């Protein structure tokens, strides 16, 4: 029999007795801790914690919320409670390149991304066949309508599928500031450069021009400031100066696909804490 | 005012309520948890935990030990308690190559190895000048006396300096089975190969002959079985097939020195748990 | 207009004047060197060289072969000449896991593997749909017939498609010694362990049991000695001791798929030189 | 008997027959090629080449230069000729942190940096004892005199020791534009950030603030534009969000020391080619 499990995330100013209070409350309401990850960021005096636990007989979400509310009030905590049986609904947005989409679908099929992917959306028809072969509805949106109009279409689709997270998997359209605000911390983008270096267009060309010896990719929350949102995950590969720009583009694909999947995975496991424009990912 | 801090390590069969019991006991005896790292090894049903905490007013080791003994008995725990003000005394044993010794001394001088290094011992005089420049007593032992005799000399020096951990920093003598047993899990060796591949002599030559594409080093506890003791830390570097054996030896030094220091650091931070001949390092 | 290009590989005992002789012959027969990679293995006194060149007007393979034969005789060279317009025909053999097959097909579709893949063969029906979606014929062979019988079926398929390289992409059958000999240096296998450690069955279980801190995969030529053939490419990833065997298996997939593709790429670019059971890969 | 060896570097617009002409000239003047590394940068149509060769009987630098001048003129080559018996004279400049200085001295002592280090210069007295223990003269310069005055003192020391390369090993003074121009491509600096991100002061603080997931270091030629000179070598390490700024600083030291040594090594092996503000390092 598989257990019914829950995840609790907590952030607050650092102070004495937090862990004992949190773990005590879980134990008293009938929870059995499976995993506890915690970090005190000494530079800013903040405490971040994520606890997974199984509900034993008698545990109910309502009772836990009532009990934990008191502790949260005492320590001035921000907290979130997740029922791990409820899978997040994720939409993937793509344009013409397939490597990030394939990676997400293959990892999802392999059980590595704990979510549902009920819809794939694109501004081009090119990747429809991939959606089809994975039996996922594919929608094409028409960006020529103008940003306002087309984003309304987009949101209608997202709404129809109860989407909770949008993944821009090499989607070659900049979202409007309004969209980014409405979907704040709910849109993950992959940038094909090691941010904060090489923002904006053609990052591999920029990197080649500068003669850097490593190229990378960055998974981050999309914000109104292009390529400036909180970084979730990054990785790089070493490149030789014998590589052309085309080789950068080719080699970079492997980093991009790894990074987008790892960024989404961290989101789905409730590992990302936000503080003043940067993340603390606690695993 | 710096705090007086302590570290508690616990291992036992996995069961419900362990974390709440441990953290509750620390809170009740006047400890304030700073950091908690915990892992449940599902393959073997074991629980491992390391907690650092500050003692607030009224906390005493004796009271804590008395209180924790009851919890430990209830859960059949193996546990250890460390006063972080008590630095471990570490002896470094060397032969003729200096890179591991330098690395240990430079990292120690930089405050990265939380221990005392009261003595350096060698079977050769070559590195005495390094000990001198770091103001550490240097002893030369005479292995020609025979293993039994010379190890008695060695142990006398270790005993004189109250040594609690012996680090073999490219020390080119095999310790006797008796020595290894007396110093069980208290001798850390660096092997210049990626164990369990390339045991024994000339691992870089073996690696070159086999044509492997990465070479590595392994920090492990020394046991009577040569190069077979529990692995603490490993790292590798990519090598090109254009490298000669001499280049392997040269390049390998950087891995060896990193690995020996990281292995010792994990030991000093009480991060190493042992189970049936392998380690679980929980950071 | 794209150029007609050729690749020449040379290996011989090291001696004076080889490079000048090779490059001179290419120039004299109307070749224009695009890329020259060369290595002298000082440990064994061997010289390895790969030259790519474009044929200018008047260059013919026959004239080059005639001219180069004299040089080869003078220096006792082993040499091979490849017309880069002639793509190798590669068969992929699989069983039930799809990650290596997908990687090969996606990289091939992306133009990164310079070959044809006219056929996919399996001892199970599970992955037929992938072959279909990439429009490649899929054959199922029946291993229950007995090794001798079934390998005859296999070879018939290979022969029908003029196969020149067989890639075992997590194909879970050991080839017979006879097959390995007939296809000597023409079968590339992926082993999910860092060879020479963890040969044979269940390498991830072996690695977990031993408590290693990195896990890897090895692309190698299949030989009659299981998992002992010349290593072409290897890579590893760092694992934490908090990983279960199942996580090793899951994480290892990313290494396996990278390694198999890189091993095949090195083969197709004529970068692999063999010497007494090990490779020298010169890029 | 060790051979007398030479290194030739060539760069020019890409065109047919370069390699044959270069290797032919070496052969005809009595040189025996040991190693040839070459790269055609297709993005810019440039050819770069480095050849090491032994002079056999009859080879003289004068005769080679005379012969090669004609080839260089024909292909409009930039070229340099180095006698490998002539060691470059390198000055190391430091301030208060020792890790880069130690690394350079230890690698030099180990025979890995093919140069002489006749002098160490600092604007602080703190590291004089290290110079002493390696038996190298140590000079303290007085920056309070004003940049112009003090740089004159500095150049006097450099001149007295016939210095050909200046290595800024965490030297915490910005050189004047005049100094940078006079010593153009003869000053190598280590920046403790992954350039072009995190230029200027306190790069680790900047990196922490931004929440990047990797930190790095960059070895580059010093130019009048601070931290903007051509990049020679870079490396990064993965950092967890549980790291404080102080841990970034501590962990970054290992990258910095590796990067500065690798940058100097590439310089000494004549592997660095410059083109419009970026390097092509051909190994």
């Amino acid at each position: 029999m598989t257990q019914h499990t829950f995840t609790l995330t907590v952030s607050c100013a650092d102070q004495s007795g937090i862990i004992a209070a949190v773990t005590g409350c879980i134990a008293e309401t009938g929870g059995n801790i499976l995993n506890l990850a915690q970090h005190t960021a000494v530079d800013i005096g903040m405490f971040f914690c994520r606890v997974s636990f199984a509900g034993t007989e008698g545990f109910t979400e309502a009772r836990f919320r009532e009990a934990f509310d008191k502790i949260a009030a005492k320590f001035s905590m921000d907290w979130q409670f997740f029922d791990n049986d409820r899978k997040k609904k994720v939409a993937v947005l793509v344009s013409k390149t397939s490597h990030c989409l394939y990676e997400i679908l293959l990892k999802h099929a392999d059980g590595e991304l704990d979510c549902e992917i009920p819809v794939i959306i694109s501004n081009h028809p090119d990747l429809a066949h991939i959606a089809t072969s994975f039996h996922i509805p594919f929608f094409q949106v028409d960006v020529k309508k103008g940003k306002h109009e087309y984003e309304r279409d987009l949101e209608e689709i997202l709404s129809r599928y109860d989407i909770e997270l949008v993944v821009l998997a090499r989607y070659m359209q900049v979202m409007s500031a309004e969209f980014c605000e409405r979907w704040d911390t709910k849109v993950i983008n992959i940038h094909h450069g090691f941010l904060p270096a090489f923002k904006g267009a053609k990052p591999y060309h920029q990197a080649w021009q500068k003669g850097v010896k490593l190229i990378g990719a960055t998974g981050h929350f999309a914000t109104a400031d292009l390529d400036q949102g909180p970084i979730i995950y990054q990785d790089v590969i070493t490149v030789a100066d014998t590589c052309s720009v085309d080789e950068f583009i080719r080699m970079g694909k492997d980093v991009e696909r790894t990074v987008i999947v790892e960024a989404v995975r961290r989101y789905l496991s409730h590992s990302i804490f936000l503080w003043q424009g940067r993340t603390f990912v606690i695993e």
Side-chain angles (χ1 to χ4, degrees), chain A:
Chain A
M1 201 192 74
T2 55
Q3 307 176 98
H4 193 175
T5 66
F6 306 90
T7 299
L8 172 74
T9 64
V10 171
S11 63
C12 62
D14 187 31
Q15 47 205 299
S16 290
I18 307 176
I19 295 178
V22 168
T23 57
C25 179
I26 292 169
E28 281 157 27
T29 55
N32 183 23
I33 293 172
L34 302 171
N35 188 282
L36 184 153
Q38 142 281 333
H39 172 60
T40 305
V42 296
D43 293 290
I44 51 172
M46 287 293 292
F47 173 88
F48 305 108
C49 182
R50 188 191 65 248
V51 197
S52 300
F53 56 94
T56 57
E57 224 176 320
F59 180 90
T60 71
E61 181 173 338
R63 277 191 53 216
F64 177 80
R65 283 186 177 277
E66 196 189 322
F68 200 77
D69 252 339
K70 287 169 201 145
I71 287 162
K74 180 180 164 196
F75 290 96
S76 299
M77 288 168 172
D78 284 331
W79 64 289
Q80 287 188 279
F81 177 91
F82 303 94
D83 181 334
N84 296 333
D85 280 1
R86 266 207 73 253
K87 303 296 172 212
K88 289 256 188 221
K89 293 193 172 68
V90 178
V92 183
L93 271 63
V94 296
S95 290
K96 291 181 166 184
T97 53
S98 63
H99 57 288
C100 286
L101 176 60
Y102 258 120
E103 187 76 0
I104 290 168
L105 296 178
L106 289 171
K107 293 295 186 192
H108 184 254
D110 242 14
E112 294 187 34
L113 290 176
D114 191 24
C115 64
E116 292 175 28
I117 302 178
V119 66
I120 295 168
I121 305 169
S122 181
N123 57 334
H124 291 286
D126 306 53
L127 305 184
H129 68 103
I130 302 174
T132 303
S133 77
F134 282 82
H135 310 297
I136 299 174
F138 178 90
F139 288 78
Q140 188 180 344
V141 287
D142 180 7
V143 300
K144 293 202 202 89
K145 279 180 166 181
K147 185 147 292 196
H148 184 70
E149 284 290 303
Y150 121 76
E151 285 189 351
R152 206 163 55 189
D153 294 353
L154 182 59
E155 297 221 41
E156 198 185 297
I157 302 168
L158 299 178
S159 156
R160 192 185 319 166
Y161 286 93
D162 292 324
I163 295 304
E164 300 167 281
L165 176 70
V166 174
V167 177
L168 308 180
R170 297 300 310 275
Y171 180 64
M172 298 284 90
Q173 292 288 321
V174 177
M175 310 315 261
S176 70
E178 294 72 35
F179 186 93
C180 289
E181 267 154 48
R182 267 196 306 280
W183 286 84
D184 186 37
T185 71
K186 294 200 174 73
V187 180
I188 295 178
N189 183 45
I190 174 80
H191 180 75
H192 43 308
F194 183 72
L195 295 175
F198 310 128
K199 287 189 279 240
K202 292 190 177 280
Y204 290 127
H205 289 77
Q206 294 180 48
W208 190 93
Q209 203 68 33
K210 186 71 192 162
V212 293
K213 309 312 182 201
L214 302 116
I215 56 171
T218 304
H220 63 96
F221 286 118
T223 59
D225 286 335
L226 189 65
D227 300 333
Q228 297 271 46
I231 296 167
I232 303 171
Y233 190 73
Q234 301 186 288
D235 202 1
V236 294
I237 44 168
T238 301
V239 287
D241 288 345
T242 51
C243 293
S244 64
V245 173
D246 283 347
E247 284 168 307
F248 277 18
I249 291 170
R250 177 177 73 74
M251 296 164 77
K253 286 181 179 179
D254 285 351
V255 189
E256 294 165 30
R257 66 178 183 172
T258 302
V259 166
I260 189 73
V261 163
E262 287 300 313
V264 172
R265 195 205 310 268
R266 277 150 179 72
Y267 183 90
L268 297 174
S269 63
H270 313 298
S271 303
I272 307 171
F273 295 82
L274 275 159
W275 176 86
Q276 295 189 7
R278 67 157 283 186
T279 63
F280 286 87
V281 179
I282 314 294
E283 291 200 290

